[in-house]
């Protein structure tokens, strides 16, 4: 199996891509953290940056809600962690839906994405977090 690397630095292609995304997205995460500082539990939101040692960076709004941007060395992807709430009052036949289960969605990302596309990843996380049942104080201004 061959791996692609940057010929000048002998660095995996995914790390170079991740560094470029970090430069664009960390200011977005920091802006969200400032905006949500009064809407979250003490100590959150957390903006973390561990690109050099772990190959990831992202934001946590609380333990069950976070967005990671990470690499496996070759490709870069986003992982959104949320809690899947039961939004219906009935369950359908042969399809149980339990409340409060963790859910993670993974999708590829790249530095070729527009700022709007990158902000949409953050907006998706915020949308899930803002619509948690019985937690209206999160969306109050």
């Amino acid at each position: 199996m061959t791996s692609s690397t940057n010929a000048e630095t002998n660095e995996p292609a995914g790390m170079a891509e991740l560094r470029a995304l970090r430069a664009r997205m960390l200011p977005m995460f920091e802006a969200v953290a400032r905006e949500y500082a009064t809407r979250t539990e003490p100590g959150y939101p957390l903006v973390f940056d561990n690109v050099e040692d772990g190959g990831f960076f992202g934001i946590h709004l609380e333990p069950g809600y976070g967005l990671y941007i990470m690499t496996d060395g070759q490709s870069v992807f986003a992982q959104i962690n949320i809690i899947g709430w039961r939004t219906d009052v009935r369950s359908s036949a042969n399809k149980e839906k339990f409340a409060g289960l963790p859910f993670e969605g993974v999708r590829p990302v790249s530095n070729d994405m527009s700022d709007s596309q990158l902000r949409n990843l953050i907006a998706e996380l915020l949308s899930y977090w803002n619509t948690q049942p019985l937690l209206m104080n999160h969306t109050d201004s």
Side-chain angles (χ1 to χ4, degrees):
M1 179 200 275
T2 61
S3 62
S4 62
T5 59
N6 184 333
E8 295 173 7
T9 62
N10 200 25
E11 173 181 77
M15 285 301 289
E17 187 90 8
L18 188 67
R19 282 192 181 90
L21 280 167
R22 174 176 62 178
R24 293 174 60 196
M25 292 187 75
L26 270 181
M28 295 178 198
F29 290 151
E30 290 165 354
V32 168
R34 282 190 302 273
E35 179 69 27
Y36 277 73
T38 59
R39 302 178 195 184
T40 58
E41 295 298 322
Y44 288 94
L46 294 173
V47 175
F48 51 91
D49 180 5
N50 194 11
V51 170
E52 302 306 323
D53 295 328
F56 64 91
F57 68 96
I59 187 170
H60 275 196
L61 298 175
E62 61 182 42
Y65 290 85
L67 173 60
Y68 293 88
I69 309 299
M70 58 183 82
T71 184
D72 60 3
Q74 300 307 311
S75 58
V76 179
F77 49 95
Q79 178 176 319
I80 297 176
N81 295 341
I82 61 167
I83 301 295
W85 295 104
R86 183 175 179 159
T87 56
D88 59 351
V89 295
R90 300 172 295 278
S91 62
S92 60
N94 296 327
K95 185 178 178 184
E96 292 179 300
K97 184 175 180 186
F98 299 100
L101 292 177
F103 169 80
E104 57 187 50
V106 178
R107 63 193 72 163
V109 294
S110 75
N111 197 38
D112 295 333
M113 295 173 72
S114 69
D115 285 346
S116 294
Q117 290 173 309
L118 296 174
R119 282 192 302 264
N120 283 346
L121 290 170
I122 300 168
E124 185 176 343
L125 171 67
L126 296 177
S127 173
Y128 285 116
W129 192 79
N130 286 330
T131 57
Q132 294 179 71
L134 304 175
L135 295 173
M136 294 177 58
N137 64 319
H138 285 184
T139 57
D140 291 347
S141 297

